[in-house]
Amino acid sequence: MVPRLGSDNGSIDTNRQPYASAAAAAGDGPASDGAELPLAGLKVVEFSWVIATPSAVRILADYGATVVKVETESRPDTMRTVNPFVDEEAHPDNSVGYGVYNAGKRSLSLDLSKPESRQVVEDLIRWADIATESWAPGAAARMGFGYDDFSAINPQIIMLSSSLLGQSGPYSSLAGYGFMAAAIAGFYEITGWPDRGPAGPYGPYTDFLAPRVIVASLMAALERRDRTGAGCYIDISQTEAALHYLAPAILDASINGRDPQRCGNEDPHMSPHGVYPSAGEDQWVAIACTDDRWPALAGAVGLNGNGAAGWNQPARRERSGEIDDAISAWTSERSNVEAAKALQAHGIDAYPVNNSQGCCDDEQLTAREHHINVPQSHRGTMWTQNCRTRMSRTPPVVRRGGPCLGEDNFEVLTEFLGYDADRIADLAAAEVLG
């Protein structure tokens, strides 16, 4: 990630309200306990799509920001086309994945290929505090929607561009998805079994890492803008954002000349450390054992003889086959839930390996209301995931699911931008709103 800070000499709009005091203008109500959500009044226009940036922007919406997501029927967010669909109805407003990453946002269908759309975009930038895009590097600038263009309209705008490798460098023009960034960053090479090819982490892994950096960067830019009045351009390389999570491996290679190798489920600091079969078809329990908990695990699975409780970690690694066989024999006689609870009672880190249904039924996730149903225009209600964090005085609020394409056109154009009916009719006649 390489932030490019805007000039501190940008003019300050003295009539611009701090976002925390503009909840009424944003149309967002208070938190459930009567307190104003911390980002109430923050205004975001989103040109980004798929997972990495939309999931970060959704966190802003969960905490009260008003987010206008710009799409068009000819180029909708790719997530609208991705399974699963509710009741297998393949429809752009019925994708569960799209709903998860875009809950709480407003949708403006705007055909950016039409010249008449430009004025609408400029008005959105005047209205907004933040603009995000995740097109191919350079595409926004070629369309006249780059940071220089936006900051000329609104010197206080904070713009974030998210891409595979960043906006500069010899390979910056390479467009791609998170699974490519995970490979470039090195996740695939060290994930898997030593006698097999790289397995890689699940899916577009960096799409789930980059949002943490994106949210922190946007919050830092907002704090700076509130102090100085200056806008900011943030260039996020999805690959570089993910590299931070491999810091130990990269340091070991650069300083000690050791390249980490694929080691299956083994761990350099814990042993045993793996996934073991439990009763039932394709049921498993994950166990991670630290040195201090080994005597308890040895006793629990019946490895009390031959001084097993006193085996140090090197000894345990030498006897890993014997230990794994004993654990597997013990776990196979119990369900993964029973095995995990029995081991947890001894202070041993263990948990069932959940499949998708297991996640839906998980007691911990259920108790924290992670899976929720929210209003959604196409279905009436839609399943989504709750916000991952909770603030004690201002907890997040998810008021609606992912928006149907263009369902908020009238609200955005009239309430946010102040357009009258004639102007909206002109846009409709020019086929801009589609």
Side-chain angles (χ1 to χ4, degrees):
M1 180 190 73
V2 183
R4 270 182 41 198
L5 301 182
S7 169
D8 284 344
N9 296 322
S11 60
I12 300 175
D13 181 358
T14 56
N15 294 318
R16 196 178 186 87
Q17 289 182 304
Y19 57 83
S21 65
D28 286 315
S32 57
D33 63 352
E36 190 175 72
L37 288 170
L39 297 183
L42 180 67
K43 293 167 283 190
V44 183
V45 56
E46 181 178 41
F47 299 99
S48 45
W49 55 355
V50 194
I51 296 175
T53 307
S55 61
V57 173
R58 192 206 133 165
I59 295 172
L60 307 184
D62 290 344
Y63 281 102
T66 299
V67 179
V68 174
K69 187 178 180 75
V70 179
E71 303 172 73
T72 180
E73 288 183 2
S74 60
R75 295 201 68 181
D77 187 328
T78 304
M79 285 303 299
R80 289 189 181 274
T81 69
V82 176
N83 275 319
F85 297 103
V86 179
D87 294 334
E88 301 298 328
E89 178 199 358
H91 188 282
D93 297 326
N94 198 41
S95 167
V96 176
Y98 177 87
V100 166
Y101 302 122
N102 295 281
K105 302 176 184 179
R106 274 90 165 171
S107 173
L108 174 65
S109 57
L110 189 68
D111 189 344
L112 300 179
S113 69
K114 304 282 187 179
E116 294 87 352
S117 69
R118 182 166 194 85
Q119 187 60 56
V120 182
V121 172
E122 292 181 359
D123 289 338
L124 283 169
I125 297 305
R126 290 188 183 91
W127 167 84
D129 298 291
I130 293 172
T132 68
E133 63 91 6
S134 56
W135 298 327
R142 289 192 297 270
M143 295 173 64
F145 296 150
Y147 176 66
D148 291 340
D149 303 293
F150 285 174
S151 63
I153 298 168
N154 176 2
Q156 292 185 299
I157 195 71
I158 295 164
M159 182 174 180
L160 181 138
S161 296
S162 173
S163 61
L164 188 73
L165 292 166
Q167 302 292 313
S168 61
Y171 299 107
S172 60
S173 62
L174 178 64
Y177 293 90
F179 70 92
M180 295 173 61
I184 296 168
F187 285 94
Y188 281 33
E189 178 60 28
I190 63 174
T191 307
W193 298 89
D195 59 343
R196 308 174 203 175
Y202 170 77
Y205 190 57
T206 61
D207 280 38
F208 310 112
L209 299 179
R212 280 81 174 153
V213 178
I214 291 172
V215 172
S217 300
L218 290 174
M219 291 298 98
L222 281 168
E223 193 276 336
R224 176 180 177 273
R225 188 208 65 180
D226 288 349
R227 285 189 294 104
T228 68
C232 178
Y233 179 61
I234 304 171
D235 171 8
I236 291 282
S237 160
Q238 196 167 313
T239 301
E240 292 174 40
L243 280 171
H244 291 277
Y245 295 85
L246 283 180
I250 294 170
L251 285 171
D252 201 19
S254 61
I255 295 174
N256 300 318
R258 291 194 298 254
D259 284 327
Q261 302 298 310
R262 293 186 292 280
C263 59
N265 286 325
E266 291 185 7
D267 183 87
H269 308 293
M270 291 180 280
S271 180
H273 182 280
V275 175
Y276 299 90
S278 57
E281 183 179 355
D282 198 24
Q283 299 294 303
W284 307 83
V285 59
I287 301 172
C289 186
T290 56
D291 288 343
D292 63 320
R293 303 317 302 164
W294 164 246
L297 178 59
V301 301
L303 276 172
N304 290 317
N306 302 322
W311 292 345
N312 61 19
Q313 192 169 133
R316 298 200 300 273
R317 292 188 188 281
E318 289 181 4
R319 296 170 175 261
S320 60
E322 176 186 348
I323 292 172
D324 286 345
D325 287 345
I327 295 174
S328 295
W330 184 85
T331 56
S332 295
E333 296 176 352
R334 297 158 177 83
S335 73
N336 53 11
V337 173
E338 292 169 340
K341 288 186 175 181
L343 295 175
Q344 290 169 12
H346 292 285
I348 300 162
D349 295 323
Y351 210 82
V353 176
N354 282 337
N355 55 21
S356 296
Q357 186 61 50
C359 286
C360 293
D361 298 336
D362 188 272
E363 293 180 33
Q364 176 68 16
L365 295 176
T366 300
R368 286 181 58 83
E369 298 182 323
H370 180 75
H371 309 301
I372 57 175
N373 281 297
V374 293
Q376 200 263 351
S377 298
H378 179 75
R379 299 291 308 185
T381 60
M382 175 74 82
W383 177 97
T384 193
Q385 296 178 14
N386 213 334
C387 192
R388 276 70 167 169
T389 58
R390 310 286 174 85
M391 294 187 181
S392 57
R393 289 190 299 159
T394 54
V397 177
V398 185
R399 293 188 174 87
R400 57 187 288 187
C404 297
L405 184 60
E407 74 166 287
D408 303 296
N409 284 359
F410 188 78
E411 176 192 9
V412 171
L413 296 175
T414 58
E415 296 183 25
F416 299 172
L417 302 186
Y419 289 10
D420 60 24
D422 290 339
R423 189 168 183 182
I424 295 173
D426 290 341
L427 292 171
E431 299 182 341
V432 174
L433 305 176

